[in-house]
Amino acid sequence: MKIECGPWSRTCAGVTRRNFLKVGTLAGMGLTLPELVRLREAAAAGPAARKPANVIFLFLDGGPSHLETFDMKPDAPAEIRGEFKPIETNVSGIRICEHLPKTAKVMDLFAILRSVSHNDSNHSAGNHFMTTGQPTPIPVGCGSSVSYHPSMGSFAAHERQVAKGLPPYVNLGSAMRSGGPNFLGPAYAPLVVDGYPQSDAFRVKDVSLPSGIDQARLDARRGLLSQLDRLQRVKEAVNDPAGAIDTYSAKAYDLVTSAEAKAAFDMKKEDEKTREMYGRKSYIGQSFLLARRLVEAGVPWVTMHWGGWDHHFNIFNDMKKMLPELDTAYAALLTDLKQRGLMDNTVVVLLGEMGRTPKINAGPGRDHWGPGMSIAIAGAGIPGGTIIGQTEADGSVPAERPLTPQDLACTLFHKMGVDYRKEFVNELGRPLQMVSGGEVIKELA
């Protein structure tokens, strides 16, 4: 319903504001005056009044090819267009890869950024850029793990409150190269969950009591440690390291005894039909489902780390195996979030650290390419069925609306209700902004 705010404006139904406020008109339209006031205030407040979103950060490590997924070039020469064909989606005029048929059916739920670009065409630097929103200050080796700036997940953990016992930042899969807290400190590192959620034996060791330790025994041990601490230590220093240890111990205790955390990680509580929709035997599918469970429970930032997308060789055979698994899991996640009413307060971003070269090599494969890449993004008011930007005819660089990793970071923090220009002081005493440069992507705001 469109509610105009001008003094005598007409609604889309042609009713003037004066008549719209008459009690008889309200009753005829099934609205009470308080409901009208609520709707008008929500309309006047606009997107800024939206509930702060949680983020599911689906990271395809290695650099997935945009030319084989969301930015196909069917009219380009064979050495550029590759083997795959584009298919129609449920949004007229938008086509994506033939190996993403389920995703094509939910195109109306997400947008594609086709003009994201940066100059860090190696894994470590690109990973750092896309994970933190900041480039590395010096060249780094392609295989190293680097942390020159806190990850977006760590900033989210620092800025957002969570219910007692819930982790604010979770990393599913192996730990990200640049997913750590840097100068924010270890309290804002992710809880890394590297088990197999598709297994009936799946359990998260950090939210489960060890075998042979029951709740009463854990409480007794905690009480004894507290008494020993009081006897053996006098805390006078403001920055006493022992105090920090106490803080971490308290958080660990809250996590291991939290009913909310146990419930969020307990995959057995999930409906079997839903598990089948994601891919019951798929590690990726069940990890995507676990990510949904976590944001539903109130975790502000969940990263899902999926490696293996560095296709210098055998790109077409490998992607024929990997894309169907991605297709099932991604389409299920968006559908599930929508059905549960979670899309309004969840951002789902699907990305890697870079794209791939326009020209196919002899592998056959595509090599590293930061100057052109695609990102899929959904939720929290982001208009689905939208394409933002485009690359040149060969997929090399943006032809219009160039976007940066900083733009993405600003947008994600904006959706989370976080001040992305906030300043912090690092371990060297230097003031640093959460994101330096970039702007919120206006088409997504």
Side-chain angles (χ1 to χ4, degrees):
M1 175 183 295
K2 180 179 180 182
I3 298 178
E4 302 288 349
C5 296
W8 306 108
S9 58
R10 291 183 175 272
T11 68
C12 57
V15 182
T16 66
R17 179 173 180 268
R18 175 184 287 176
N19 288 333
F20 194 74
L21 289 171
K22 291 180 179 177
V23 175
T25 306
L26 290 172
M29 298 185 69
L31 292 172
T32 65
L33 187 56
E35 287 172 335
L36 174 64
V37 172
R38 177 181 57 79
L39 289 172
R40 185 178 298 283
E41 288 180 350
R50 186 180 299 276
K51 181 179 178 181
N54 300 323
V55 171
I56 297 177
F57 193 78
L58 305 172
F59 197 83
L60 309 185
D61 201 345
S65 171
H66 55 301
L67 294 155
E68 271 67 51
T69 52
F70 296 118
D71 190 13
M72 306 192 76
K73 303 295 183 182
D75 299 325
E79 66 271 19
I80 292 172
R81 71 172 181 264
E83 296 181 7
F84 297 164
K85 304 287 191 300
I87 58 172
E88 299 293 334
T89 68
N90 68 347
V91 177
S92 177
I94 299 180
R95 297 193 296 172
I96 62 175
C97 180
E98 62 183 317
H99 296 292
L100 297 170
K102 294 178 181 177
T103 301
K105 293 179 180 178
V106 296
M107 182 71 239
D108 60 316
L109 298 182
F110 68 99
I112 301 173
L113 310 179
R114 281 184 174 164
S115 54
V116 181
S117 178
H118 63 74
N119 293 318
D120 286 330
S121 295
N122 79 48
H123 295 301
S124 296
N127 192 299
H128 186 277
F129 211 165
M130 300 309 300
T131 305
T132 69
Q134 293 295 107
T136 56
I138 60 174
V140 296
C142 207
S144 59
S145 295
V146 292
S147 176
Y148 293 102
H149 196 72
S151 66
M152 289 186 278
S154 291
F155 273 129
H158 187 277
E159 296 297 300
R160 286 280 301 273
Q161 298 296 314
V162 293
K164 184 178 180 180
L166 279 178
Y169 173 24
V170 177
N171 181 141
L172 303 178
S174 58
M176 295 280 288
R177 299 174 193 235
S178 303
N182 194 269
F183 62 76
L184 292 178
Y188 303 104
L191 170 66
V192 178
V193 178
D194 57 0
Y196 298 92
Q198 76 274 28
S199 169
D200 289 335
F202 173 71
R203 62 192 289 272
V204 181
K205 61 183 179 181
D206 294 312
V207 294
S208 304
L209 289 173
S211 178
I213 304 293
D214 59 18
Q215 185 67 51
R217 190 174 176 188
L218 178 68
D219 289 340
R221 287 187 177 185
R222 190 189 192 204
L224 178 60
L225 283 172
S226 178
Q227 292 176 43
L228 289 173
D229 285 342
R230 285 195 296 269
L231 288 171
Q232 298 175 3
R233 200 168 66 234
V234 177
K235 300 179 185 177
E236 294 180 349
V238 174
N239 295 316
D240 180 10
I245 294 172
D246 279 351
T247 300
Y248 305 148
S249 297
K251 289 183 177 180
Y253 179 85
D254 288 342
L255 185 61
V256 82
T257 58
S258 167
E260 291 79 9
K262 286 184 174 66
F265 284 103
D266 188 355
M267 296 293 284
K268 293 179 181 178
K269 292 183 178 295
E270 196 61 52
D271 177 77
E272 276 300 319
K273 285 186 178 180
T274 303
R275 299 194 73 172
E276 290 290 343
M277 180 174 69
Y278 280 85
R280 182 62 179 84
K281 297 180 179 180
S282 165
Y283 166 76
I284 299 304
Q286 297 303 295
S287 295
F288 278 36
L289 173 55
L290 180 54
R292 187 227 82 206
R293 291 183 60 83
L294 291 170
V295 295
E296 187 175 28
V299 176
W301 190 284
V302 180
T303 289
M304 166 57 203
H305 184 202
W306 180 6
W309 294 88
D310 188 22
H311 292 123
H312 295 280
F313 307 95
N314 300 316
I315 185 170
F316 303 109
N317 287 336
D318 285 351
M319 292 194 82
K320 284 177 185 176
K321 299 173 184 176
M322 298 176 76
L323 287 178
E325 194 168 16
L326 172 64
D327 183 45
T328 295
Y330 182 64
L333 176 59
L334 296 188
T335 301
D336 198 13
L337 288 169
K338 180 183 178 182
Q339 291 175 346
R340 292 172 179 271
L342 296 172
M343 283 291 275
D344 280 348
N345 67 328
T346 307
V347 175
V348 181
V349 57
L350 177 69
L351 75 166
E353 67 265 43
M354 56 190 154
R356 310 301 291 192
T357 49
K359 191 173 181 178
I360 299 167
N361 65 29
R366 299 187 192 268
D367 299 313
H368 302 174
W369 191 252
M373 61 186 293
S374 293
I375 293 175
I377 187 166
I382 291 169
T386 304
I387 301 294
I388 299 170
Q390 68 177 26
T391 52
E392 296 289 354
D394 62 354
S396 58
V397 295
E400 64 178 48
R401 191 67 174 99
L403 299 169
T404 67
Q406 291 99 324
D407 295 331
L408 176 67
C410 290
T411 303
L412 294 178
F413 286 135
H414 170 71
K415 294 292 185 181
M416 296 190 78
V418 170
D419 178 8
Y420 52 87
R421 298 298 189 215
K422 184 174 180 178
E423 281 197 347
F424 293 79
V425 177
N426 69 7
E427 68 277 12
L428 300 177
R430 178 186 173 192
L432 292 174
Q433 285 187 329
M434 192 180 296
V435 185
S436 298
E439 297 294 340
V440 173
I441 301 169
K442 62 180 184 297
E443 295 93 336
L444 305 182

